[in-house]
Amino acid sequence: MPDAPPFAALSTDVRAVVPRLAAARSVVAFTGAGVSKESGLDTFRDVGGVWQRVHPEDMATPQAFRRDPRRVWQWYAERYRRASAVAPNPAHLALARWERLFPSYCLVTQNVDGLHQRAGSSDPLELHGTLAWARC
């Protein structure tokens, strides 16, 4: 079997991806904050993103929690409220459909908003956990 082309050589044209997906037996999809932006949630590193308004070390570390647990809980509660108030967008819905189309499919996400599940994805791998529950 010939080697796959280098990643940089792959076409960015969607038409080039369709036949590859149609022939695929196994598919892994990776998502981050950008997939939820269309639903109305902020990304983290974009202009105006979450980390431009608050420093990660002030909210998203054990040290921050020890310094001011109430502030950290309130910040996460507000993020949960915002995520709960928006709907999955067409990208979330398409990725959920892929789960039914491919014999072997895995969705890996950095997102903590739960939108993949609300779109119908049954068991995404959540690299950063979820806003839906906390464990100390």
Side-chain angles (χ1 to χ4, degrees), residues 70-136:
R70 181 183 179 93
R71 179 178 182 225
V72 172
W73 276 121
Q74 287 174 336
W75 184 72
Y76 276 101
E78 176 59 21
R79 290 182 60 215
Y80 177 75
R81 186 196 63 72
R82 276 199 223 127
S84 298
V86 300
N89 65 55
H92 295 108
L93 298 170
L95 290 165
R97 279 193 304 274
W98 284 12
E99 187 174 316
R100 297 184 297 278
L101 293 176
F102 297 103
S104 177
Y105 176 74
C106 181
L107 173 59
V108 182
T109 185
Q110 295 181 44
N111 295 354
V112 297
D113 54 38
L115 290 174
H116 285 299
Q117 292 89 330
R118 289 174 41 208
S121 292
S122 66
D123 197 21
L125 298 178
E126 297 171 304
L127 296 178
H128 298 304
T130 175
L131 292 171
W133 59 272
R135 181 180 72 203
C136 291

Short mmCIF file of all heavy atoms in Angstrom, two decimals, residues 70-136:
data_model
loop_
_atom_site.label_atom_id
_atom_site.label_comp_id
_atom_site.label_asym_id
_atom_site.label_seq_id
_atom_site.Cartn_x
_atom_site.Cartn_y
_atom_site.Cartn_z
N ARG A 70 -15.13 30.58 45.47
CA ARG A 70 -16.42 31.16 45.08
C ARG A 70 -16.35 31.81 43.70
O ARG A 70 -17.22 31.61 42.85
CB ARG A 70 -16.87 32.17 46.14
CG ARG A 70 -18.20 32.82 45.84
CD ARG A 70 -18.53 33.87 46.92
NE ARG A 70 -19.77 34.51 46.64
CZ ARG A 70 -20.95 34.11 47.11
NH1 ARG A 70 -21.02 33.08 47.93
NH2 ARG A 70 -22.05 34.76 46.79
N ARG A 71 -15.29 32.57 43.47
CA ARG A 71 -15.11 33.23 42.17
C ARG A 71 -15.00 32.20 41.04
O ARG A 71 -15.61 32.35 39.98
CB ARG A 71 -13.86 34.11 42.21
CG ARG A 71 -13.58 34.83 40.92
CD ARG A 71 -12.35 35.73 41.07
NE ARG A 71 -12.10 36.45 39.83
CZ ARG A 71 -10.92 36.58 39.28
NH1 ARG A 71 -9.84 36.08 39.86
NH2 ARG A 71 -10.77 37.25 38.16
N VAL A 72 -14.22 31.15 41.27
CA VAL A 72 -14.04 30.12 40.24
C VAL A 72 -15.36 29.40 39.98
O VAL A 72 -15.74 29.20 38.83
CB VAL A 72 -12.91 29.15 40.64
CG1 VAL A 72 -12.85 27.96 39.69
CG2 VAL A 72 -11.57 29.88 40.66
N TRP A 73 -16.08 29.00 41.04
CA TRP A 73 -17.38 28.34 40.86
C TRP A 73 -18.33 29.24 40.08
O TRP A 73 -19.07 28.77 39.21
CB TRP A 73 -18.01 27.97 42.20
CG TRP A 73 -17.54 26.67 42.78
CD1 TRP A 73 -16.93 26.51 43.98
CD2 TRP A 73 -17.64 25.36 42.21
NE1 TRP A 73 -16.64 25.17 44.19
CE2 TRP A 73 -17.07 24.45 43.12
CE3 TRP A 73 -18.16 24.87 41.02
CZ2 TRP A 73 -17.00 23.08 42.87
CZ3 TRP A 73 -18.09 23.51 40.77
CH2 TRP A 73 -17.51 22.63 41.69
N GLN A 74 -18.36 30.52 40.41
CA GLN A 74 -19.26 31.45 39.72
C GLN A 74 -18.90 31.56 38.24
O GLN A 74 -19.78 31.61 37.38
CB GLN A 74 -19.24 32.82 40.39
CG GLN A 74 -19.96 32.83 41.72
CD GLN A 74 -19.82 34.15 42.45
OE1 GLN A 74 -18.88 34.92 42.25
NE2 GLN A 74 -20.76 34.41 43.35
N TRP A 75 -17.60 31.60 37.95
CA TRP A 75 -17.16 31.70 36.56
C TRP A 75 -17.59 30.46 35.77
O TRP A 75 -18.13 30.57 34.67
CB TRP A 75 -15.64 31.87 36.52
CG TRP A 75 -15.08 32.08 35.15
CD1 TRP A 75 -15.20 33.20 34.37
CD2 TRP A 75 -14.29 31.15 34.41
NE1 TRP A 75 -14.53 33.01 33.18
CE2 TRP A 75 -13.96 31.76 33.17
CE3 TRP A 75 -13.82 29.87 34.66
CZ2 TRP A 75 -13.19 31.14 32.21
CZ3 TRP A 75 -13.04 29.24 33.69
CH2 TRP A 75 -12.74 29.88 32.47
N TYR A 76 -17.38 29.27 36.35
CA TYR A 76 -17.79 28.03 35.67
C TYR A 76 -19.31 27.94 35.57
O TYR A 76 -19.84 27.46 34.56
CB TYR A 76 -17.20 26.80 36.36
CG TYR A 76 -15.79 26.51 35.90
CD1 TYR A 76 -14.71 26.88 36.68
CD2 TYR A 76 -15.55 25.89 34.68
CE1 TYR A 76 -13.41 26.63 36.26
CE2 TYR A 76 -14.26 25.64 34.25
CZ TYR A 76 -13.19 26.01 35.04
OH TYR A 76 -11.91 25.77 34.61
N ALA A 77 -20.03 28.40 36.59
CA ALA A 77 -21.49 28.37 36.55
C ALA A 77 -22.02 29.26 35.42
O ALA A 77 -22.97 28.90 34.71
CB ALA A 77 -22.08 28.80 37.89
N GLU A 78 -21.40 30.40 35.23
CA GLU A 78 -21.80 31.30 34.14
C GLU A 78 -21.50 30.66 32.79
O GLU A 78 -22.31 30.75 31.86
CB GLU A 78 -21.10 32.65 34.27
CG GLU A 78 -21.39 33.61 33.13
CD GLU A 78 -22.87 33.94 32.95
OE1 GLU A 78 -23.67 33.78 33.89
OE2 GLU A 78 -23.24 34.37 31.83
N ARG A 79 -20.37 30.01 32.65
CA ARG A 79 -20.04 29.31 31.39
C ARG A 79 -21.06 28.20 31.14
O ARG A 79 -21.51 28.00 30.01
CB ARG A 79 -18.63 28.74 31.45
CG ARG A 79 -17.57 29.83 31.40
CD ARG A 79 -16.16 29.28 31.40
NE ARG A 79 -15.96 28.43 30.24
CZ ARG A 79 -15.21 27.33 30.23
NH1 ARG A 79 -14.57 26.95 31.32
NH2 ARG A 79 -15.08 26.60 29.15
N TYR A 80 -21.44 27.47 32.19
CA TYR A 80 -22.44 26.41 32.06
C TYR A 80 -23.79 27.00 31.63
O TYR A 80 -24.46 26.47 30.74
CB TYR A 80 -22.58 25.63 33.36
CG TYR A 80 -23.65 24.57 33.31
CD1 TYR A 80 -23.43 23.39 32.61
CD2 TYR A 80 -24.88 24.77 33.92
CE1 TYR A 80 -24.43 22.41 32.54
CE2 TYR A 80 -25.87 23.80 33.84
CZ TYR A 80 -25.64 22.62 33.15
OH TYR A 80 -26.62 21.67 33.07
N ARG A 81 -24.17 28.10 32.24
CA ARG A 81 -25.44 28.75 31.90
C ARG A 81 -25.44 29.16 30.43
O ARG A 81 -26.40 28.89 29.70
CB ARG A 81 -25.67 29.98 32.78
CG ARG A 81 -27.05 30.62 32.58
CD ARG A 81 -27.15 32.02 33.13
NE ARG A 81 -26.26 32.97 32.49
CZ ARG A 81 -26.41 33.45 31.24
NH1 ARG A 81 -27.40 33.06 30.49
NH2 ARG A 81 -25.55 34.32 30.75
N ARG A 82 -24.35 29.76 29.97
CA ARG A 82 -24.27 30.18 28.57
C ARG A 82 -24.32 28.98 27.63
O ARG A 82 -25.02 29.01 26.61
CB ARG A 82 -22.98 30.96 28.32
CG ARG A 82 -23.12 32.41 28.66
CD ARG A 82 -22.02 33.24 28.00
NE ARG A 82 -21.55 34.18 28.97
CZ ARG A 82 -20.30 34.36 29.31
NH1 ARG A 82 -19.34 33.68 28.77
NH2 ARG A 82 -19.98 35.25 30.22
N ALA A 83 -23.58 27.93 27.96
CA ALA A 83 -23.57 26.73 27.10
C ALA A 83 -24.95 26.08 27.05
O ALA A 83 -25.36 25.56 26.02
CB ALA A 83 -22.52 25.74 27.59
N SER A 84 -25.66 26.11 28.17
CA SER A 84 -26.99 25.51 28.23
C SER A 84 -28.03 26.30 27.45
O SER A 84 -29.07 25.77 27.08
CB SER A 84 -27.45 25.38 29.69
OG SER A 84 -26.57 24.54 30.39
N ALA A 85 -27.75 27.57 27.21
CA ALA A 85 -28.71 28.45 26.56
C ALA A 85 -28.62 28.44 25.03
O ALA A 85 -29.47 29.03 24.37
CB ALA A 85 -28.54 29.88 27.08
N VAL A 86 -27.60 27.80 24.48
CA VAL A 86 -27.44 27.79 23.03
C VAL A 86 -27.73 26.39 22.48
O VAL A 86 -27.76 25.41 23.23
CB VAL A 86 -26.03 28.26 22.60
CG1 VAL A 86 -25.78 29.68 23.07
CG2 VAL A 86 -24.96 27.32 23.09
N ALA A 87 -27.94 26.32 21.18
CA ALA A 87 -28.28 25.05 20.53
C ALA A 87 -27.11 24.55 19.69
O ALA A 87 -26.31 25.35 19.19
CB ALA A 87 -29.50 25.24 19.65
N PRO A 88 -27.03 23.24 19.51
CA PRO A 88 -26.02 22.71 18.59
C PRO A 88 -26.23 23.30 17.19
O PRO A 88 -27.37 23.59 16.79
CB PRO A 88 -26.31 21.20 18.57
CG PRO A 88 -27.08 20.93 19.81
CD PRO A 88 -27.86 22.19 20.10
N ASN A 89 -25.16 23.48 16.48
CA ASN A 89 -25.23 24.04 15.13
C ASN A 89 -25.06 22.92 14.09
O ASN A 89 -24.89 21.76 14.46
CB ASN A 89 -24.20 25.17 14.98
CG ASN A 89 -22.77 24.67 15.08
OD1 ASN A 89 -22.36 23.76 14.35
ND2 ASN A 89 -22.00 25.27 15.99
N PRO A 90 -25.14 23.25 12.80
CA PRO A 90 -25.03 22.20 11.77
C PRO A 90 -23.77 21.34 11.86
O PRO A 90 -23.81 20.16 11.52
CB PRO A 90 -25.09 22.99 10.46
CG PRO A 90 -25.92 24.19 10.80
CD PRO A 90 -25.50 24.55 12.22
N ALA A 91 -22.66 21.90 12.32
CA ALA A 91 -21.44 21.09 12.44
C ALA A 91 -21.61 20.02 13.51
O ALA A 91 -21.23 18.86 13.30
CB ALA A 91 -20.25 21.99 12.78
N HIS A 92 -22.18 20.38 14.66
CA HIS A 92 -22.44 19.38 15.71
C HIS A 92 -23.36 18.28 15.18
O HIS A 92 -23.14 17.10 15.44
CB HIS A 92 -23.10 20.02 16.95
CG HIS A 92 -22.26 21.02 17.66
ND1 HIS A 92 -22.52 22.37 17.60
CD2 HIS A 92 -21.18 20.87 18.47
CE1 HIS A 92 -21.63 23.01 18.34
NE2 HIS A 92 -20.80 22.12 18.88
N LEU A 93 -24.41 18.69 14.46
CA LEU A 93 -25.38 17.74 13.94
C LEU A 93 -24.75 16.82 12.90
O LEU A 93 -25.01 15.62 12.89
CB LEU A 93 -26.58 18.48 13.35
CG LEU A 93 -27.37 19.32 14.37
CD1 LEU A 93 -28.38 20.21 13.65
CD2 LEU A 93 -28.05 18.45 15.41
N ALA A 94 -23.89 17.38 12.04
CA ALA A 94 -23.22 16.56 11.03
C ALA A 94 -22.30 15.54 11.68
O ALA A 94 -22.28 14.36 11.29
CB ALA A 94 -22.43 17.45 10.07
N LEU A 95 -21.56 15.95 12.69
CA LEU A 95 -20.65 15.01 13.38
C LEU A 95 -21.43 13.91 14.08
O LEU A 95 -20.99 12.76 14.13
CB LEU A 95 -19.75 15.78 14.35
CG LEU A 95 -18.70 16.66 13.66
CD1 LEU A 95 -18.10 17.65 14.64
CD2 LEU A 95 -17.63 15.81 13.00
N ALA A 96 -22.60 14.24 14.61
CA ALA A 96 -23.45 13.21 15.22
C ALA A 96 -23.95 12.23 14.16
O ALA A 96 -24.02 11.02 14.41
CB ALA A 96 -24.62 13.86 15.96
N ARG A 97 -24.29 12.72 12.97
CA ARG A 97 -24.72 11.83 11.88
C ARG A 97 -23.60 10.89 11.46
O ARG A 97 -23.83 9.74 11.12
CB ARG A 97 -25.21 12.64 10.68
CG ARG A 97 -26.63 13.13 10.83
CD ARG A 97 -27.20 13.65 9.51
NE ARG A 97 -26.41 14.71 8.90
CZ ARG A 97 -26.52 16.01 9.20
NH1 ARG A 97 -27.39 16.40 10.10
NH2 ARG A 97 -25.78 16.90 8.60
N TRP A 98 -22.37 11.41 11.47
CA TRP A 98 -21.23 10.56 11.08
C TRP A 98 -21.15 9.32 11.96
O TRP A 98 -20.75 8.26 11.50
CB TRP A 98 -19.93 11.35 11.16
CG TRP A 98 -19.71 12.30 10.04
CD1 TRP A 98 -20.62 12.72 9.09
CD2 TRP A 98 -18.50 12.97 9.74
NE1 TRP A 98 -20.03 13.60 8.24
CE2 TRP A 98 -18.73 13.79 8.61
CE3 TRP A 98 -17.24 12.99 10.33
CZ2 TRP A 98 -17.75 14.58 8.04
CZ3 TRP A 98 -16.26 13.78 9.76
CH2 TRP A 98 -16.51 14.57 8.64
N GLU A 99 -21.51 9.46 13.21
CA GLU A 99 -21.46 8.32 14.13
C GLU A 99 -22.30 7.16 13.61
O GLU A 99 -21.97 6.00 13.81
CB GLU A 99 -21.97 8.77 15.50
CG GLU A 99 -21.83 7.76 16.58
CD GLU A 99 -22.23 8.33 17.93
OE1 GLU A 99 -21.84 9.48 18.25
OE2 GLU A 99 -22.94 7.62 18.65
N ARG A 100 -23.40 7.47 12.94
CA ARG A 100 -24.28 6.43 12.40
C ARG A 100 -23.82 5.94 11.02
O ARG A 100 -24.23 4.89 10.57
CB ARG A 100 -25.71 6.95 12.32
CG ARG A 100 -26.28 7.27 13.70
CD ARG A 100 -27.74 7.69 13.65
NE ARG A 100 -28.02 8.90 12.90
CZ ARG A 100 -27.88 10.15 13.38
NH1 ARG A 100 -27.46 10.33 14.61
NH2 ARG A 100 -28.17 11.18 12.62
N LEU A 101 -22.98 6.73 10.36
CA LEU A 101 -22.57 6.39 9.00
C LEU A 101 -21.35 5.49 8.92
O LEU A 101 -21.20 4.72 7.97
CB LEU A 101 -22.28 7.67 8.20
CG LEU A 101 -23.46 8.57 7.91
CD1 LEU A 101 -23.00 9.84 7.21
CD2 LEU A 101 -24.47 7.84 7.04
N PHE A 102 -20.45 5.62 9.88
CA PHE A 102 -19.17 4.91 9.79
C PHE A 102 -19.14 3.75 10.77
O PHE A 102 -19.50 3.90 11.94
CB PHE A 102 -18.00 5.86 10.04
CG PHE A 102 -17.90 6.95 9.02
CD1 PHE A 102 -18.32 8.23 9.31
CD2 PHE A 102 -17.43 6.68 7.75
CE1 PHE A 102 -18.25 9.24 8.36
CE2 PHE A 102 -17.36 7.67 6.78
CZ PHE A 102 -17.77 8.95 7.09
N PRO A 103 -18.66 2.58 10.32
CA PRO A 103 -18.60 1.40 11.20
C PRO A 103 -17.74 1.64 12.44
O PRO A 103 -18.04 1.15 13.52
CB PRO A 103 -17.99 0.31 10.33
CG PRO A 103 -18.09 0.79 8.93
CD PRO A 103 -18.21 2.28 8.97
N SER A 104 -16.69 2.42 12.28
CA SER A 104 -15.81 2.73 13.40
C SER A 104 -15.61 4.25 13.41
O SER A 104 -15.00 4.80 12.50
CB SER A 104 -14.46 2.01 13.25
OG SER A 104 -13.61 2.37 14.30
N TYR A 105 -16.17 4.90 14.43
CA TYR A 105 -16.15 6.36 14.48
C TYR A 105 -15.84 6.81 15.90
O TYR A 105 -16.37 6.26 16.87
CB TYR A 105 -17.52 6.93 14.07
CG TYR A 105 -17.62 8.43 14.18
CD1 TYR A 105 -17.00 9.26 13.27
CD2 TYR A 105 -18.33 9.01 15.22
CE1 TYR A 105 -17.09 10.64 13.37
CE2 TYR A 105 -18.44 10.39 15.33
CZ TYR A 105 -17.82 11.20 14.40
OH TYR A 105 -17.91 12.56 14.51
N CYS A 106 -14.98 7.81 16.01
CA CYS A 106 -14.64 8.36 17.32
C CYS A 106 -14.60 9.88 17.20
O CYS A 106 -13.92 10.41 16.33
CB CYS A 106 -13.29 7.83 17.79
SG CYS A 106 -12.82 8.44 19.42
N LEU A 107 -15.33 10.55 18.07
CA LEU A 107 -15.31 12.00 18.15
C LEU A 107 -14.50 12.39 19.37
O LEU A 107 -14.82 11.98 20.49
CB LEU A 107 -16.73 12.56 18.25
CG LEU A 107 -16.87 14.06 18.49
CD1 LEU A 107 -16.22 14.87 17.37
CD2 LEU A 107 -18.34 14.43 18.62
N VAL A 108 -13.45 13.16 19.15
CA VAL A 108 -12.59 13.64 20.23
C VAL A 108 -12.75 15.15 20.28
O VAL A 108 -12.61 15.82 19.25
CB VAL A 108 -11.11 13.27 19.97
CG1 VAL A 108 -10.23 13.73 21.12
CG2 VAL A 108 -10.96 11.77 19.73
N THR A 109 -13.07 15.69 21.45
CA THR A 109 -13.29 17.13 21.54
C THR A 109 -12.58 17.74 22.73
O THR A 109 -12.44 17.12 23.78
CB THR A 109 -14.81 17.46 21.60
OG1 THR A 109 -14.96 18.89 21.56
CG2 THR A 109 -15.47 16.89 22.84
N GLN A 110 -12.16 18.97 22.54
CA GLN A 110 -11.64 19.77 23.65
C GLN A 110 -12.79 20.51 24.33
O GLN A 110 -12.61 21.09 25.39
CB GLN A 110 -10.63 20.80 23.14
CG GLN A 110 -9.38 20.21 22.55
CD GLN A 110 -8.43 21.30 22.09
OE1 GLN A 110 -8.21 22.29 22.79
NE2 GLN A 110 -7.87 21.12 20.90
N ASN A 111 -13.96 20.50 23.72
CA ASN A 111 -15.09 21.29 24.21
C ASN A 111 -15.68 20.70 25.49
O ASN A 111 -15.76 19.49 25.65
CB ASN A 111 -16.16 21.39 23.14
CG ASN A 111 -15.67 22.17 21.94
OD1 ASN A 111 -14.58 22.72 21.95
ND2 ASN A 111 -16.47 22.22 20.90
N VAL A 112 -16.13 21.59 26.34
CA VAL A 112 -16.74 21.20 27.62
C VAL A 112 -18.22 21.58 27.65
O VAL A 112 -18.87 21.44 28.68
CB VAL A 112 -16.00 21.86 28.81
CG1 VAL A 112 -14.55 21.37 28.89
CG2 VAL A 112 -16.05 23.38 28.74
N ASP A 113 -18.76 22.04 26.51
CA ASP A 113 -20.10 22.64 26.48
C ASP A 113 -21.25 21.66 26.34
O ASP A 113 -22.41 22.04 26.50
CB ASP A 113 -20.18 23.70 25.37
CG ASP A 113 -19.77 23.17 24.00
OD1 ASP A 113 -20.08 22.01 23.66
OD2 ASP A 113 -19.13 23.95 23.25
N GLY A 114 -21.00 20.40 26.02
CA GLY A 114 -22.06 19.42 25.90
C GLY A 114 -22.86 19.49 24.61
O GLY A 114 -23.83 18.75 24.44
N LEU A 115 -22.48 20.36 23.69
CA LEU A 115 -23.26 20.51 22.46
C LEU A 115 -23.17 19.28 21.56
O LEU A 115 -24.12 18.97 20.84
CB LEU A 115 -22.83 21.77 21.71
CG LEU A 115 -23.23 23.08 22.40
CD1 LEU A 115 -22.64 24.28 21.67
CD2 LEU A 115 -24.74 23.20 22.50
N HIS A 116 -22.05 18.58 21.57
CA HIS A 116 -21.96 17.35 20.76
C HIS A 116 -23.00 16.33 21.23
O HIS A 116 -23.70 15.72 20.42
CB HIS A 116 -20.56 16.74 20.83
CG HIS A 116 -19.54 17.48 20.03
ND1 HIS A 116 -19.63 17.64 18.67
CD2 HIS A 116 -18.39 18.09 20.40
CE1 HIS A 116 -18.59 18.32 18.23
NE2 HIS A 116 -17.83 18.61 19.26
N GLN A 117 -23.13 16.16 22.54
CA GLN A 117 -24.12 15.21 23.07
C GLN A 117 -25.53 15.66 22.75
O GLN A 117 -26.38 14.86 22.39
CB GLN A 117 -23.95 15.04 24.59
CG GLN A 117 -22.67 14.35 25.00
CD GLN A 117 -21.51 15.32 25.19
OE1 GLN A 117 -21.42 16.37 24.58
NE2 GLN A 117 -20.60 14.95 26.07
N ARG A 118 -25.80 16.95 22.89
CA ARG A 118 -27.14 17.46 22.60
C ARG A 118 -27.48 17.33 21.12
O ARG A 118 -28.65 17.25 20.76
CB ARG A 118 -27.26 18.91 23.07
CG ARG A 118 -27.29 18.94 24.61
CD ARG A 118 -27.27 20.31 25.23
NE ARG A 118 -28.07 21.32 24.58
CZ ARG A 118 -27.78 22.61 24.62
NH1 ARG A 118 -26.71 23.04 25.26
NH2 ARG A 118 -28.55 23.48 24.01
N ALA A 119 -26.45 17.27 20.27
CA ALA A 119 -26.68 17.06 18.84
C ALA A 119 -26.91 15.60 18.50
O ALA A 119 -27.33 15.28 17.40
CB ALA A 119 -25.49 17.59 18.04
N GLY A 120 -26.61 14.70 19.46
CA GLY A 120 -26.84 13.28 19.22
C GLY A 120 -25.60 12.41 19.27
O GLY A 120 -25.70 11.19 19.12
N SER A 121 -24.43 12.98 19.46
CA SER A 121 -23.22 12.16 19.60
C SER A 121 -23.32 11.39 20.91
O SER A 121 -23.61 11.97 21.95
CB SER A 121 -21.96 13.03 19.60
OG SER A 121 -21.76 13.62 18.32
N SER A 122 -23.09 10.08 20.84
CA SER A 122 -23.37 9.26 22.02
C SER A 122 -22.26 9.26 23.06
O SER A 122 -22.55 9.20 24.25
CB SER A 122 -23.69 7.83 21.61
OG SER A 122 -22.55 7.22 21.04
N ASP A 123 -21.03 9.32 22.64
CA ASP A 123 -19.96 9.17 23.63
C ASP A 123 -18.67 9.84 23.18
O ASP A 123 -17.65 9.18 23.02
CB ASP A 123 -19.73 7.67 23.88
CG ASP A 123 -18.95 7.41 25.15
OD1 ASP A 123 -18.93 8.30 26.04
OD2 ASP A 123 -18.34 6.33 25.26
N PRO A 124 -18.70 11.17 22.98
CA PRO A 124 -17.45 11.82 22.57
C PRO A 124 -16.41 11.73 23.67
O PRO A 124 -16.74 11.70 24.86
CB PRO A 124 -17.87 13.27 22.32
CG PRO A 124 -19.11 13.45 23.12
CD PRO A 124 -19.78 12.11 23.19
N LEU A 125 -15.16 11.66 23.27
CA LEU A 125 -14.06 11.71 24.24
C LEU A 125 -13.80 13.17 24.55
O LEU A 125 -13.38 13.94 23.69
CB LEU A 125 -12.80 11.06 23.66
CG LEU A 125 -12.91 9.59 23.30
CD1 LEU A 125 -11.61 9.10 22.68
CD2 LEU A 125 -13.28 8.77 24.52
N GLU A 126 -14.09 13.57 25.78
CA GLU A 126 -13.96 14.97 26.20
C GLU A 126 -12.61 15.16 26.88
O GLU A 126 -12.44 14.83 28.05
CB GLU A 126 -15.10 15.34 27.14
CG GLU A 126 -16.46 15.24 26.48
CD GLU A 126 -17.60 15.39 27.45
OE1 GLU A 126 -17.67 14.62 28.43
OE2 GLU A 126 -18.44 16.27 27.21
N LEU A 127 -11.66 15.70 26.12
CA LEU A 127 -10.30 15.84 26.63
C LEU A 127 -10.20 16.73 27.86
O LEU A 127 -9.34 16.52 28.70
CB LEU A 127 -9.37 16.39 25.53
CG LEU A 127 -9.21 15.48 24.31
CD1 LEU A 127 -8.31 16.17 23.28
CD2 LEU A 127 -8.62 14.14 24.72
N HIS A 128 -11.06 17.74 27.95
CA HIS A 128 -11.00 18.69 29.08
C HIS A 128 -12.18 18.53 30.02
O HIS A 128 -12.46 19.43 30.82
CB HIS A 128 -10.93 20.12 28.55
CG HIS A 128 -9.72 20.41 27.73
ND1 HIS A 128 -8.43 20.23 28.19
CD2 HIS A 128 -9.59 20.84 26.46
CE1 HIS A 128 -7.57 20.55 27.26
NE2 HIS A 128 -8.24 20.93 26.19
N GLY A 129 -12.89 17.42 29.95
CA GLY A 129 -14.02 17.21 30.84
C GLY A 129 -15.27 17.90 30.33
O GLY A 129 -15.42 18.12 29.13
N THR A 130 -16.16 18.25 31.24
CA THR A 130 -17.43 18.85 30.88
C THR A 130 -17.86 19.85 31.94
O THR A 130 -17.53 19.71 33.12
CB THR A 130 -18.52 17.75 30.72
OG1 THR A 130 -19.78 18.37 30.49
CG2 THR A 130 -18.63 16.86 31.96
N LEU A 131 -18.62 20.84 31.51
CA LEU A 131 -19.21 21.80 32.46
C LEU A 131 -20.39 21.19 33.21
O LEU A 131 -20.84 21.73 34.19
CB LEU A 131 -19.69 23.05 31.72
CG LEU A 131 -18.60 23.94 31.12
CD1 LEU A 131 -19.24 25.02 30.23
CD2 LEU A 131 -17.76 24.58 32.21
N ALA A 132 -20.88 20.05 32.74
CA ALA A 132 -22.09 19.45 33.30
C ALA A 132 -21.89 18.86 34.68
O ALA A 132 -22.85 18.72 35.43
CB ALA A 132 -22.62 18.38 32.35
N TRP A 133 -20.68 18.49 35.05
CA TRP A 133 -20.44 17.94 36.39
C TRP A 133 -19.01 18.19 36.80
O TRP A 133 -18.14 18.41 35.97
CB TRP A 133 -20.81 16.46 36.47
CG TRP A 133 -20.07 15.56 35.54
CD1 TRP A 133 -20.41 15.25 34.26
CD2 TRP A 133 -18.87 14.86 35.80
NE1 TRP A 133 -19.50 14.39 33.70
CE2 TRP A 133 -18.53 14.12 34.64
CE3 TRP A 133 -18.03 14.76 36.92
CZ2 TRP A 133 -17.39 13.34 34.56
CZ3 TRP A 133 -16.88 13.96 36.82
CH2 TRP A 133 -16.60 13.27 35.65
N ALA A 134 -18.77 18.19 38.07
CA ALA A 134 -17.43 18.43 38.61
C ALA A 134 -17.08 17.34 39.61
O ALA A 134 -17.96 16.76 40.26
CB ALA A 134 -17.39 19.78 39.31
N ARG A 135 -15.82 17.05 39.70
CA ARG A 135 -15.33 16.08 40.66
C ARG A 135 -14.09 16.67 41.32
O ARG A 135 -13.19 17.14 40.63
CB ARG A 135 -14.98 14.77 39.96
CG ARG A 135 -14.49 13.71 40.93
CD ARG A 135 -14.15 12.43 40.21
NE ARG A 135 -12.91 12.61 39.45
CZ ARG A 135 -12.56 11.89 38.42
NH1 ARG A 135 -13.32 10.94 37.99
NH2 ARG A 135 -11.43 12.12 37.80
N CYS A 136 -14.06 16.66 42.60
CA CYS A 136 -12.90 17.18 43.32
C CYS A 136 -11.98 16.04 43.69
O CYS A 136 -12.44 14.95 43.97
CB CYS A 136 -13.33 17.91 44.58
SG CYS A 136 -14.19 19.46 44.22
#
